Amino acid sequence: MAKIFQIGAAGGIGRRLSEMLVRSGARVTGMHRRAEQAAVIEGTGAAAVGGDLIEDSVQRLAELIAGHDVVVFSAGAHGTGVEQTNLIDGKGLEKAVDAALRAGVRRFILVSVFMDAHRGSQSTDGFENYIRVKREADVYLAATDLEWVIVRPGRLTDGEGSGLVAAGPALQYGTVSRDNVAEFIHEAIYTPSLRRRVIELVDGDKPVSAAMRELIETF
Ligand SMILES: NC(=O)c1ccc[n+]([C@@H]2O[C@H](COP(=O)([O-])OP(=O)(O)OC[C@H]3O[C@@H](n4cnc5c(N)ncnc54)[C@H](OP(=O)(O)O)[C@@H]3O)[C@@H](O)[C@H]2O)c1
């Protein structure tokens, strides 16, 4: 049985993914930083564990992660400012990566962002900082010898997932439902030959499993 450790498990992508994983028979541990999020995580069928990317040390995070097969990182500061973005999406990701290395957990899946987000529209200093921090986080993870996968979704939507995506190294910018992102990560977890790849992801016209097969066959 696959043992998955989710950071950001109570969030929009996290709880969708957790539900899918539990349904397919995985054992999921979901990390949360606020007490009330435990119920959200347990509602998906996962085990909830308290942990904070800002407050906790690498050693503490490593102790939580130890014994799992895969770490999925979908945490984020969700527009709460430059300082929080730097601490969560930036430094927090680095701590989680260091913790996975220390715990000996080799597979690490990161939800990043489509680097073209917001191009052509008016941006803000905060958003530019967010994109910069996300890229630096990708660089940090990609420089390790972990079996990492970096998923860069387009703009996230909450509508019901179509199950149809476009996934590849370079795509036109677009939207993608959180359902579809969760389904893609679920498929990636069970496709170990997908590793050390940066993948852009938007809603498209291929079933997730077919899109994954193509990624593997064309590499
Ligand atoms: N919005 C978009 O259009 C878009 C597009 C592309 C990529 N993304 C990326 O997608 C990812 C997740 O999206 P989402 O919709 O699932 O976001 P979300 O609903 O905001 O979920 C993020 C989760 O991370 C948790 N978190 C934040 N700081 C934490 C900390 N210090 N320690 C532990 N957990 C912490 C949050 O908890 P709290 O509620 O306590 O903060 C929340 O449960 C983010 O990395 C984001 O950058 C977003």
Side-chain angles (χ1 to χ4, degrees), residues 48-130:
V49 62
D52 189 322
L53 291 165
I54 299 175
E55 299 299 327
D56 288 339
S57 65
V58 170
Q59 180 56 29
R60 161 80 181 143
L61 294 172
E63 285 161 12
L64 296 177
I65 289 172
H68 294 83
D69 304 311
V70 184
V71 175
V72 179
F73 187 107
S74 62
H78 51 91
T80 51
V82 165
E83 195 188 344
Q84 289 295 301
T85 300
N86 296 347
L87 287 171
I88 297 165
D89 302 74
K91 189 72 197 150
L93 176 275
E94 293 181 12
K95 285 166 80 174
V97 169
D98 291 350
L101 285 163
R102 194 174 293 191
V105 177
R106 303 283 313 145
R107 194 156 168 80
F108 196 111
I109 300 180
L110 171 62
V111 178
S112 177
V113 67
F114 214 105
M115 295 296 153
D116 279 350
H118 260 306
R119 293 304 128 207
S121 62
Q122 216 157 27
S123 190
T124 61
D125 288 350
F127 193 79
E128 291 304 311
N129 178 69
Y130 166 69

Side-chain angles (χ1 to χ4, degrees), residues 9 21 44 55 91 98 119 127 132 191 197 200 204-205:
L21 285 166
T44 70
E55 299 299 327
K91 189 72 197 150
D98 291 350
R119 293 304 128 207
F127 193 79
R132 193 164 49 244
T191 311
R197 303 275 299 272
E200 295 184 345
D205 59 7

Side-chain angles (χ1 to χ4, degrees), residues 12-13 33-34 37 52-53 75 78 112 130 134 156 178:
I13 293 173
R33 64 169 169 174
R34 289 183 285 120
Q37 292 168 328
D52 189 322
L53 291 165
H78 51 91
S112 177
Y130 166 69
K134 290 300 239 190
L156 299 174
R178 287 179 170 84

